Amino acid sequence: MIDIDKIRKDTPSCENTLHFNNAGSSLMPTPVFEALQEVLRDENEVGGYEAERRAQDSIQAFYTEFASLLNAEPDEIAFVENATRAWDMAFYGLHLKHGDRVITHVSEYASNYLALLQQSRRLGFEIDLVPSDEYGQIDVDALDDMIGPRTKLIAITHVPTQGGLVNPAAKVGKIAKKHGVLYLLDACQSVGQIDVNVAEIGCDILSGTGRKFLRGPRGTGFLYVRRSIINQIDPPFIDLLSAKWTEANNFEFVDGARRFENWESYVAGRVGLMEAARYAQNIGLANIETRVSELAQSLRDALSEIQGISVHDLGQKKCGIVTFKKEGIDPKVMAETLRADRINVSVSQMTSARLDLEPRNLKALTRASVHYFNTHEEIVRFVEAVKQV
Ligand SMILES: *Cc1c(COP(=O)(O)O)cnc(C)c1O
């Protein structure tokens, strides 16, 4: 269903690079790179503000493309410089107080968990960890049981950075709705490789990044906030874009999720990210999801057959992220050796996933993350290279 030849032509660097680092930063397809370049060229030739004026249609299309990608409304979308700040703009604006409880899971992203720790220290709310079920994913029955009258927020990560797990986000959404608890979903690793639909998932807030599976530019991210809950968040920062200075001593937030944006932003990046969302939708997220999970599973299967290699992905449903270790080889050395061969992977360190990797006694893992433009031939080459290390 996916025209791989065309897609690889749109990704010229896959000719000479074996890129299994799509969870780190993927390769931009040509239309994205060209959109980015066009704005930068205009900025250089006619001036920054003038270039922005020329790019108006594409800038506006950012909201409609993301609304259609996520099944939301355009006014529920904000452009933010990365996923962490997008998440922060919502989280730090919530009215949490002493005695409240916030539920998260060991798969939560490190920067989010640090923010939870900082705010719990400041405000005095408690953090509860929902247990994992036998697959290592969020135990939804336990979640249902642990929500009490003081539970104010469920903040979880759809796909963790350090493994192939896909958390049951829609089941969590049903429980959040049943109890009337706010639901904040970090979808940084899922948007672009999984068909993420906010109506189906039932999350109130969702954050994501541009450069990973969406194949957008670096330094770009986005935030979704459900219209009906927007007034439950007091944006932690304010400026001339997010608010209107209505009288000398008064202001109002602008309508919709744009109150979470910054006046100054990376215009070329926004246009590039819009183009990336469009590119992904032209291929079809359902098609992408099928191909990515199938490629990743065949990589897992092939790695598991090698003597001395262990694969560490949790979850009943798995995605394009494959984590493994080779006996006697430091994952950093594994990544460096592969890089010398123009094979790109990442390393997931325990220090950036303590709640998950520490109890499993995993100091570091090699992370190979595939995308739809990768091929079975590349998997064979990769597995051969890993064998040689
Ligand atoms: C990468 C990542 C983030 C952070 O994204 P940035 O755009 O780098 O801020 C958040 N959550 C998860 C699960 C990630 O993998």
Side-chain angles (χ1 to χ4, degrees):
M1 258 188 291
I2 297 182
D3 185 349
I4 294 300
D5 288 342
K6 177 179 180 302
I7 274 168
R8 286 181 72 83
K9 275 201 194 87
D10 279 350
T11 313
S13 38
C14 64
E15 281 274 304
N16 48 30
T17 303
L18 203 168
H19 196 73
F20 280 6
N21 197 11
N22 297 289
S25 186
S26 189
L27 303 171
M28 284 185 273
T30 303
V32 173
F33 188 52
E34 281 176 351
L36 191 64
Q37 278 180 309
E38 189 183 321
V39 178
L40 292 177
R41 207 180 304 115
D42 280 354
E43 284 182 359
N44 193 42
E45 284 173 8
V46 303
Y49 287 13
E50 294 71 16
E52 183 174 352
R53 190 162 291 125
R54 274 190 192 177
Q56 259 321 305
D57 290 350
S58 300
I59 291 170
Q60 291 314 311
F62 175 83
Y63 302 99
T64 46
E65 287 299 335
F66 271 83
S68 105
L69 178 70
L70 301 173
N71 190 24
E73 296 297 328
D75 72 342
E76 295 176 315
I77 304 293
F79 173 78
V80 188
E81 61 265 38
N82 58 58
T84 304
R85 279 298 171 267
W87 191 95
D88 289 342
M89 282 305 287
F91 172 71
Y92 281 88
L94 295 173
H95 300 282
L96 296 167
K97 57 182 190 312
H98 183 82
D100 286 348
R101 308 195 77 94
V102 174
I103 296 178
T104 188
H105 181 245
V106 294
S107 54
E108 187 62 346
Y109 186 63
S111 299
N112 302 346
Y113 197 74
L114 289 171
L116 285 167
L117 289 177
Q118 184 192 28
Q119 282 294 74
S120 114
R121 202 183 271 178
R122 283 176 176 164
L123 306 174
F125 61 77
E126 306 285 329
I127 302 169
D128 296 319
L129 285 177
V130 56
S132 304
D133 67 11
E134 76 260 39
Y135 299 103
Q137 65 197 12
I138 289 168
D139 184 332
V140 286
D141 295 327
L143 176 67
D144 197 9
D145 290 340
M146 72 194 281
I147 295 177
R150 300 201 304 185
T151 307
K152 293 293 154 62
L153 174 70
I154 299 168
I156 59 154
T157 291
H158 197 186
V159 168
T161 199
Q162 70 277 4
L165 161 73
V166 182
N167 268 316
K171 286 186 178 154
V172 171
K174 286 211 174 69
I175 292 166
K177 187 167 181 194
K178 176 177 146 192
H179 294 273
V181 174
L182 267 188
Y183 178 15
L184 164 54
L185 183 67
D186 175 335
C188 200
Q189 291 291 3
S190 51
V191 175
Q193 68 154 324
I194 289 174
D195 198 357
V196 173
N197 178 328
V198 293
E200 230 169 73
I201 290 175
C203 54
D204 299 302
I205 307 160
L206 177 146
S207 56
T209 204
R211 73 185 183 281
K212 296 179 180 174
F213 287 96
L214 265 178
R215 309 183 65 196
R218 293 204 64 176
T220 65
F222 58 91
L223 178 68
Y224 155 81
V225 178
R226 185 183 300 285
R227 196 187 276 156
S228 57
I229 66 105
I230 199 162
N231 289 324
Q232 296 182 41
I233 308 172
D234 186 10
F237 306 112
I238 188 167
D239 72 12
L240 278 170
L241 177 78
S242 58
K244 281 182 281 199
W245 198 4
T246 49
E247 294 169 72
N249 293 312
N250 208 0
F251 73 89
E252 276 168 21
F253 284 112
V254 297
D255 289 337
R258 283 191 214 189
R259 67 185 64 181
F260 301 107
E261 294 191 347
N262 292 324
W263 194 94
E264 172 59 358
S265 74
Y266 179 23
V267 175
R270 181 191 301 234
V271 171
L273 182 53
M274 178 282 289
E275 204 60 51
R278 189 173 274 172
Y279 191 86
Q281 290 180 92
N282 282 339
I283 298 170
L285 271 297
N287 296 333
I288 292 173
E289 182 173 342
T290 305
R291 179 165 171 93
V292 170
S293 63
E294 189 263 320
L295 283 171
Q297 196 49 48
S298 63
L299 175 56
R300 267 180 219 111
D301 293 344
L303 287 170
S304 307
E305 279 172 20
I306 307 174
Q307 183 77 27
I309 291 211
S310 51
V311 175
H312 293 273
D313 301 313
L314 304 174
Q316 188 171 22
K317 179 178 171 184
K318 296 187 182 71
C319 66
I321 299 177
V322 178
T323 52
F324 66 96
K325 250 176 41 174
K326 186 170 178 180
E327 232 174 74
I329 308 277
D330 182 339
K332 258 198 214 154
V333 174
M334 171 67 75
E336 278 160 23
T337 313
L338 293 173
R339 197 177 308 123
D341 232 353
R342 304 206 67 153
I343 297 174
N344 298 337
V345 294
S346 275
V347 178
S348 290
Q349 303 277 2
M350 185 226 271
T351 47
S352 55
R354 283 194 181 277
L355 299 181
D356 180 13
L357 298 185
E358 210 161 24
R360 290 156 73 199
N361 210 8
L362 295 165
K363 264 207 187 112
L365 291 167
T366 305
R367 181 184 70 181
S369 43
V370 300
H371 215 332
Y372 56 79
F373 61 78
N374 292 125
T375 63
H376 284 281
E377 293 76 63
E378 285 181 320
I379 289 175
V380 171
R381 246 190 76 208
F382 181 81
V383 169
E384 222 23 70
V386 168
K387 268 190 204 165
Q388 300 305 318
V389 177

